[in-house]
Amino acid sequence: MELILVQALSGLASAASLFLVASGLSIIFGVTRIVNFAHGAFYMLGAYMAFTLTDRFSGALGFWGGLLVASLIVAALGALMEMVLLRRIYQAPELFQLLATFGVTLMVQDLVVLIWGADDLMGPRAPGFTGAFSLFGRLVPTYDLLLIVLGPAVLGGLWLLFHRTRWGVLVRAATQDRDMVACLGVNQKWLFTSVFALGVFLAALGGALQIPRTTVTHYMDLSIIVEVFVVVVIGGLGSVTGAFIAAVLVSELNALGILVLPKISLIAVFLVMAVVLVVRPYGLLGKAERGARSSTGISFRPWKPMSMLERAGVAVLIAIAALLPLFAGNYLLSVGAEILVFVLFAASLHFMMTVGGLASFGHAAYFGLGAYGAAFAVKFLGAPMELALLVGPAFGLMGALVAGWFCVRLSGVYFAMLTLAFAQIIWSVAFQWVEVTGGDNGILGIWPSAWASSPRGFFWLTLGVAVVGVALLRMLVFSPYGFGLRATRDNTLRADAIGIDRKSTQWAALIVAGTFAGVAGALFAFLKGSVFPESLAIPISVDGLVMVLLGGIETVSGAVIGAIVYKALAIWLMSQTDWSKLVLGAIIVLLVVAAPKGIVGFIDDWRHRGPRPKNGKPDALAVAKMEAAE
């Protein structure tokens, strides 16, 4: 009992830093509607800046002043990012803003290693709070007590700021109706900048306060961002009080879960998030979003099937790819097969996002299930590759069938976060069920049949499966079902009025996407010869999102180009430079700013661009068409 009490106090101390970071993200989303993936990077920068300043200046003033100054410096960097980058893309779909902040995260990860090195750093003890006191015979650090008090104090300060100041009233008004605030003459640019700076300051302070408790590492951004997303979704996006309640709940589950339920300690938090979202779709204290933007995938130019000339061009490209094994070496063929696997994976996610308007943060679940399904068929059933390639997609289908039944009841960010919860639950099971999955040791010896065992043979197999898979997805886009799915995406009320059931239609789309992702995962298992829990992890889902967004969500097959460009670029950069994340992140940010519709969308706009207007005046007919489209 004494150990449980001490663990509970440790959980409350952890909740303070988690609340600081989560409240900052919640405030930013509430006003700007940006899901800031770089929030974890600012948390990490706060810790590194605080380490540098406290290491240089000694004494109590140097330590506590160093934490504050470090947080202010990072807040200034956040404000600079908002002014230079985010202001340019506020009108873009939310997922493009997510992509831009993901690019910033990649850049910060390499910049931190470049400046501070790759070794873990240990910060100094907090002056005045270096000791511990005895509680029922067990020692509790006095610094933990400071953090326990700090959490409610920050919550009270934020409440006063938002309810007793003019700036706070404007922020709350912008959270409710940004357009009306603009009509009243409020300068939204500086309001957004100040809100973003406050949110980043809280994240940096949360990181700075961690240096006496834990080591400072260059991967602490990804370790915190998932928990932060969970907290803000459970509490309700935009609700600071909800973030505080959820931070305490999540921290206590993490602290006590190891003692009470060690077998499910990794999935307990995500199970709670899934239950909360199913029972209360907008979180504990959240509210339905107002003034939602256009659905993902809506294009001003209606989609149409390929012309005969375009089909001939695609056939020529496929024929050239099929001839590649006659000239390329084994390494290039292995890289090509991996790119083709992710082409199919990205195309499956693209079908959900573009045609169905369903943005998933957990699409890796079905990819990983396909990989494990194929591995189980080989290891436990002794099945050949041909049969295993059918079992893998069946696993992906079943996973999408179960998860989709719950997920389609939500929309927007909440749908995306529930898909993330299911993906993390499946990852946790694969990681902890060592007797079946091998845990982090994985399942080894998943080799293809003899006819496909050479790099040449497996490349042809992967090319054939990818071409057929992408072709089937394109056929679905222009089928009666595809038109019905687009109707539910564009206008749910009108779709209901003509008899199209949104939930069942979108559920079917998720099942289709999960099945094709399972095919890609099964191929990946045979390509690598092994399966590990990393196949189910968040980075795979993020890679899929980046591929889709780079290609263009307003196109039918943009994911194909996006996957080829992103995967080829990532592999090439890793072989050419130690700072591949820095370069790749910079390229992603530049593409988002220069081509917010993606590579294919940019090319399509360029192709359909009309003649230049004379005397710099726009054509009246073009203006009328654009206004009608808007």
Side-chain angles (χ1 to χ4, degrees):
M1 191 64 187
E2 295 84 358
L3 179 59
I4 292 177
L5 180 59
V6 171
Q7 280 291 99
L9 290 176
S10 177
L12 288 177
S14 299
S17 290
L18 186 58
F19 164 65
L20 285 172
V21 186
S23 63
L25 181 63
S26 191
I27 292 168
I28 290 173
F29 179 85
V31 176
T32 66
R33 287 298 185 266
I34 289 179
V35 182
N36 182 22
F37 198 88
H39 210 63
F42 293 123
Y43 165 85
M44 178 174 65
L45 281 176
Y48 272 101
M49 287 284 187
F51 170 82
T52 299
L53 294 176
T54 54
D55 185 59
R56 177 165 298 184
F57 302 103
S58 59
L61 182 60
F63 179 86
W64 298 111
L67 299 190
L68 181 61
V69 172
S71 304
L72 290 173
I73 292 173
V74 177
L77 293 175
L80 180 63
M81 187 190 90
E82 190 275 341
M83 291 186 287
V84 173
L85 175 60
L86 297 180
R87 280 188 185 180
R88 300 173 181 270
I89 56 174
Y90 270 132
Q91 300 306 317
E94 291 170 359
L95 285 174
F96 281 105
Q97 298 164 356
L98 178 69
L99 178 60
T101 56
F102 172 70
V104 172
T105 298
L106 290 178
M107 296 171 66
V108 171
Q109 286 176 350
D110 269 0
L111 286 172
V112 162
V113 175
L114 183 64
I115 297 172
W116 284 280
D119 295 335
D120 295 353
L121 304 176
M122 180 65 72
R125 304 290 295 275
F129 296 90
T130 58
F133 67 95
S134 178
L135 181 65
F136 299 113
R138 296 185 180 272
L139 296 178
V140 178
T142 54
Y143 188 71
D144 283 3
L145 286 183
L146 172 66
L147 294 179
I148 292 172
V149 174
L150 181 65
V154 172
L155 175 62
L158 290 175
W159 188 91
L160 291 174
L161 179 65
F162 289 127
H163 290 82
R164 293 292 185 267
T165 66
R166 182 178 182 276
W167 181 84
V169 172
L170 292 177
V171 170
R172 289 192 293 121
T175 303
Q176 297 296 322
D177 195 331
R178 290 187 297 174
D179 294 334
M180 183 59 68
V181 170
C183 292
L184 293 174
V186 176
N187 189 328
Q188 284 201 26
K189 288 183 178 180
W190 293 112
L191 182 64
F192 285 11
T193 301
S194 61
V195 167
F196 200 87
L198 174 62
V200 171
F201 172 82
L202 292 171
L205 183 60
L209 288 169
Q210 285 298 299
I211 63 171
R213 302 185 79 224
T214 185
T215 56
V216 181
T217 66
H218 62 277
Y219 49 82
M220 62 192 301
D221 57 338
L222 294 181
S223 65
I224 192 70
I225 192 64
V226 175
E227 283 193 347
V228 169
F229 276 136
V230 170
V231 166
V232 296
V233 168
I234 291 177
L237 285 163
S239 172
V240 175
T241 306
F244 178 79
I245 297 172
V248 173
L249 177 62
V250 168
S251 297
E252 290 298 341
L253 281 173
N254 287 333
L256 300 177
I258 299 176
L259 296 178
V260 181
L261 299 169
K263 288 293 185 181
I264 64 168
S265 59
L266 290 178
I267 67 173
V269 171
F270 297 99
L271 283 172
V272 170
M273 183 171 79
V275 171
V276 169
L277 288 180
V278 170
V279 176
R280 291 187 60 85
Y282 301 109
L284 296 175
L285 300 180
K287 297 179 181 178
E289 296 181 45
R290 299 186 181 184
R293 294 178 192 153
S294 301
S295 299
T296 299
I298 294 178
S299 175
F300 290 151
R301 283 184 296 276
W303 294 335
K304 57 182 179 181
M306 289 182 178
S307 64
M308 290 300 296
L309 182 61
E310 290 172 331
R311 291 180 182 178
V314 171
V316 170
L317 292 176
I318 294 173
I320 293 173
L323 294 175
L324 184 63
L326 302 179
F327 309 99
N330 290 343
Y331 173 74
L332 186 58
L333 291 178
S334 296
V335 170
E338 184 172 349
I339 291 174
L340 289 170
V341 166
F342 280 94
V343 163
L344 183 56
F345 173 64
S348 66
L349 177 59
H350 188 267
F351 179 77
M352 279 180 58
M353 292 175 57
T354 300
V355 186
L358 302 169
S360 172
F361 287 179
H363 205 57
Y366 318 118
F367 181 85
L369 283 172
Y372 272 102
F376 291 158
V378 172
K379 281 296 183 181
F380 300 138
L381 302 179
M385 179 191 72
E386 294 80 3
L387 179 59
L389 287 178
L390 297 177
V391 175
F395 270 59
L397 185 152
M398 289 187 292
L401 186 70
V402 174
W405 191 84
F406 295 96
C407 292
V408 294
R409 286 159 171 74
L410 307 177
S411 61
V413 176
Y414 294 97
F415 171 88
M417 293 306 300
L418 189 55
T419 62
L420 173 64
F422 277 107
Q424 286 299 103
I425 290 171
I426 297 171
W427 172 84
S428 302
V429 171
F431 187 81
Q432 290 189 299
W433 200 4
V434 179
E435 297 80 6
V436 176
T437 65
D440 56 356
N441 293 320
I443 301 177
L444 308 178
I446 314 300
W447 303 115
S449 299
W451 63 270
S453 59
S454 67
R456 177 183 297 182
F458 196 82
F459 178 86
W460 277 326
L461 168 66
T462 309
L463 177 63
V465 173
V467 168
V468 171
V470 173
L472 290 175
L473 288 170
R474 278 192 64 94
M475 290 173 60
L476 280 176
V477 172
F478 297 105
S479 68
Y481 167 74
F483 282 102
L485 182 60
R486 279 188 272 168
T488 62
R489 176 202 69 189
D490 295 343
N491 196 313
T492 302
L493 293 178
R494 290 184 181 181
D496 286 339
I498 60 176
I500 300 175
D501 182 68
R502 180 191 68 83
K503 291 181 180 178
S504 60
T505 303
Q506 292 183 339
W507 188 13
L510 203 154
I511 292 172
V512 168
T515 302
F516 280 97
V519 175
L523 286 171
F524 189 73
F526 285 103
L527 172 66
K528 298 299 182 181
S530 57
V531 179
F532 294 93
E534 285 74 15
S535 300
L536 295 152
I538 292 174
I540 298 292
S541 296
V542 174
D543 284 349
L545 282 169
V546 173
M547 294 171 192
V548 171
L549 295 172
L550 279 182
I553 58 174
E554 293 185 359
T555 61
V556 182
S557 300
V560 175
I561 302 299
I564 294 173
V565 171
Y566 177 77
K567 200 64 183 177
L569 189 61
I571 294 173
W572 181 77
L573 285 173
M574 288 181 65
S575 66
Q576 296 297 315
T577 176
D578 293 333
W579 314 114
S580 58
K581 291 181 180 179
L582 177 62
V583 178
L584 185 60
I587 292 173
I588 290 173
V589 171
L590 288 175
L591 282 174
V592 169
V593 174
K597 291 186 178 181
I599 298 171
V600 178
F602 175 79
I603 296 173
D604 195 44
D605 281 350
W606 182 79
R607 286 177 55 218
H608 290 85
R609 186 173 57 184
R612 254 186 161 170
K614 296 179 180 180
N615 302 323
K617 295 181 180 179
D619 180 66
L621 180 60
V623 172
K625 287 182 178 180
M626 183 59 70
E627 289 177 349
E630 291 176 346

